[in-house]
């Protein structure tokens, strides 16, 4: 019997700090896309431990992230991504609700901590910028735009609203991309 709930969208571990408050002990930042019991967890699973009686199961778990109480000693799970929170069950349910709401919206507005964004760049609301994206000086990115992994937006370029840029795309200096544009993987403009 599998009790996994897999979501349409995945979320990077460090993005969870925008949803709930806690102390993140990050061994590796990975994308998470499901919630499940500890004993059934995989590398992309989110789980929680509310009581130390589940510690032995947690030690055997392959979960990508385990939510634990603030006073939890991370030495007990030295190779596991942990998020220390006041109430692991409540925080877990907050994450579940957030991911369910995203399925309705079908979009995750998030800026990856692994993106490089110049301080002079202007990023509008509800923009998604994924891992290893580079946004150079004086770039303007319109509301609702998504820029997928490993893309580069060079100096003085302007990206319109609700534009979707697939991975590994390069937009050279001084380019202007309009609203509601889709740019496929590997394109160079």
């Amino acid at each position: 019997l599998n009790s996994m709930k897999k979501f349409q969208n995945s979320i990077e571990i460090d993005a969870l700090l925008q949803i709930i408050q806690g102390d993140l002990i990050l061994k590796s930042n990975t994308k998470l896309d499901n919630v499940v019991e500890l004993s059934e967890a995989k590398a992309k699973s989110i789980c929680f431990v509310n009581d130390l009686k589940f510690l032995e199961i947690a030690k055997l778990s392959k979960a990508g992230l385990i939510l634990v109480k603030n006073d939890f000693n991370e030495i007990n799970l030295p190779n596991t991504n942990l998020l220390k929170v006041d109430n692991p069950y409540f925080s877990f349910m907050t994450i579940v609700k957030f991911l369910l709401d995203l399925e309705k919206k079908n979009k995750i507005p998030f800026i990856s901590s692994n993106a490089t964004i110049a301080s002079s760049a202007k990023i509008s609301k509800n923009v998604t910028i994924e891992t290893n994206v580079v946004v150079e000086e004086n770039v303007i990115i319109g509301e609702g735009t998504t820029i997928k992994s490993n893309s580069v937006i060079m100096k003085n370029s302007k990206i319109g609203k609700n534009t979707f840029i697939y991975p590994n795309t390069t937009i050279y200096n001084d380019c202007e991309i309009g609203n509601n544009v889709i740019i496929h993987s590997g394109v160079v403009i």
Side-chain angles (χ1 to χ4, degrees):
L1 179 67
N2 190 327
S3 60
M4 178 186 292
K5 166 57 181 156
K6 186 164 175 26
F7 298 97
Q8 294 171 356
N9 298 301
S10 60
I11 189 166
E12 290 185 38
I13 293 173
D14 59 359
L16 293 175
L17 294 177
Q18 296 176 15
I19 303 163
I20 55 174
Q21 292 183 353
D23 182 22
L24 182 61
I25 292 99
L26 191 63
K27 304 300 179 184
S28 64
N29 197 15
T30 187
K31 290 187 176 185
L32 305 169
D33 66 6
N34 70 82
V35 293
V36 68
E37 293 179 26
L38 281 167
S39 61
E40 298 175 15
K42 306 285 187 228
K44 294 183 178 186
S45 299
I46 304 169
C47 301
F48 71 95
V49 172
N50 224 16
D51 192 310
L52 288 178
K53 68 182 178 184
F54 297 107
L55 182 58
E56 292 308 312
I57 297 170
K59 286 180 179 179
L60 299 173
S61 178
K62 295 179 178 143
L65 177 68
I66 299 177
L67 283 72
V68 295
K69 290 183 179 179
N70 282 324
D71 62 355
F72 184 84
N73 188 343
E74 59 262 22
I75 293 172
N76 289 317
L77 295 171
N79 300 315
T80 304
N81 292 319
L82 301 174
L83 183 53
K84 291 182 170 186
V85 295
D86 289 334
N87 184 330
Y89 175 74
F90 179 78
S91 296
F92 176 82
M93 294 309 296
T94 301
I95 293 168
V96 169
K97 182 182 180 326
F98 176 80
L99 291 170
L100 288 171
D101 288 347
L102 283 177
E103 284 188 353
K104 293 176 189 170
K105 294 177 187 174
N106 204 25
K107 187 173 182 186
I108 301 173
F110 169 68
I111 298 175
S112 173
S113 61
N114 294 323
T116 303
I117 301 173
S119 61
S120 62
K122 292 184 175 124
I123 312 296
S124 298
K125 291 189 255 176
N126 299 318
V127 169
T128 297
I129 299 176
E130 290 189 352
T131 303
N132 298 326
V133 168
V134 175
V135 177
E136 292 186 352
E137 292 79 23
N138 302 313
V139 167
I140 298 170
I141 299 177
E143 187 172 341
T145 290
T146 297
I147 304 173
K148 303 292 273 179
S149 298
N150 303 314
S151 294
V152 177
I153 314 298
M154 297 176 82
K155 296 176 187 173
N156 304 314
S157 293
K158 181 180 178 185
I159 311 296
K161 295 178 182 177
N162 301 312
T163 292
F164 197 97
I165 300 173
Y166 280 92
N168 304 311
T169 298
T170 301
I171 298 176
Y172 277 90
N173 297 331
D174 305 306
C175 288
E176 189 168 334
I177 308 297
N179 297 331
N180 303 307
V181 174
I182 297 173
I183 300 175
H184 286 280
S185 233
V187 170
V188 176
I189 297 176

